[in-house]
Amino acid sequence: METAIITMPWLLYLVTLAFLSVCAYLDYKTKTIPNTVTIPAIVFGTLLTIITNPIGLLWVIPLFIIGRILVHYKYIGGGDVKMYIALYLILPVFFAMFYSGIVFWFASIVRLFFSSKNTKMLIFGPSTLVGAIIVGIIALLF
């Protein structure tokens, strides 16, 4: 499938799906994504980024700041922020940006239809997993 604008890094994609499956399950069952899942992924992603694109580490700072603001206003949990930082570090920037758009679009629709009026926070783990699967299907088709 070489017709894609940028070739999908399939091995990293499969690692990401495994990571997201664990995050989705835990987030759905316990409403938290523990550090024992996110921190190793962040370390792996950091090492990968140092090897492939060290300047990419600079983007973690604004992601962290935006994440802290969202956590402060209870729109997203701390584990979700660490999950997204790990995703950014593991996936190339193009896929991370595209992927984030799909995830937040999907999560917004789910929240619009299924979230109760008195809660701000949505369980992002499962919607992130669905977004990752959609990205994989799109990459396979194009």
Side-chain angles (χ1 to χ4, degrees):
M1 302 290 160
E2 296 297 325
T3 58
I5 296 172
I6 299 175
T7 305
M8 172 70 97
W10 290 105
L11 182 59
L12 289 179
Y13 177 73
L14 293 175
V15 168
T16 302
L17 277 183
F19 166 66
L20 288 177
S21 295
V22 172
C23 289
Y25 176 78
L26 292 171
D27 203 15
Y28 181 75
K29 287 292 189 182
T30 67
K31 308 261 187 296
T32 61
I33 303 173
N35 288 340
T36 55
V37 175
T38 56
I39 299 300
I42 289 173
V43 170
F44 171 73
T46 300
L47 293 173
L48 188 65
T49 303
I50 288 170
I51 292 168
T52 59
N53 181 20
I55 201 79
L57 289 174
L58 294 176
W59 285 102
V60 172
I61 297 167
L63 288 175
F64 179 77
I65 292 169
I66 291 168
R68 290 302 304 155
I69 291 168
L70 292 172
V71 168
H72 177 74
Y73 289 105
K74 298 190 184 338
Y75 286 111
I76 193 169
D80 297 317
V81 171
K82 288 178 270 190
M83 177 182 68
Y84 284 116
I85 289 174
L87 287 176
Y88 166 77
L89 291 168
I90 294 170
L91 292 177
V93 175
F94 172 79
F95 289 108
M97 289 186 300
F98 180 67
Y99 178 79
S100 295
I102 295 279
V103 167
F104 283 109
W105 173 80
F106 181 77
S108 296
I109 288 175
V110 169
R111 182 175 178 175
L112 179 67
F113 289 108
F114 299 108
S115 185
S116 67
K117 292 179 182 176
N118 58 358
T119 182
K120 290 182 183 179
M121 198 177 298
L122 177 70
I123 303 170
F124 278 94
S127 58
T128 304
L129 177 60
V130 171
I133 292 168
I134 291 170
V135 168
I137 291 169
I138 290 170
L140 276 174
L141 296 175
F142 301 104

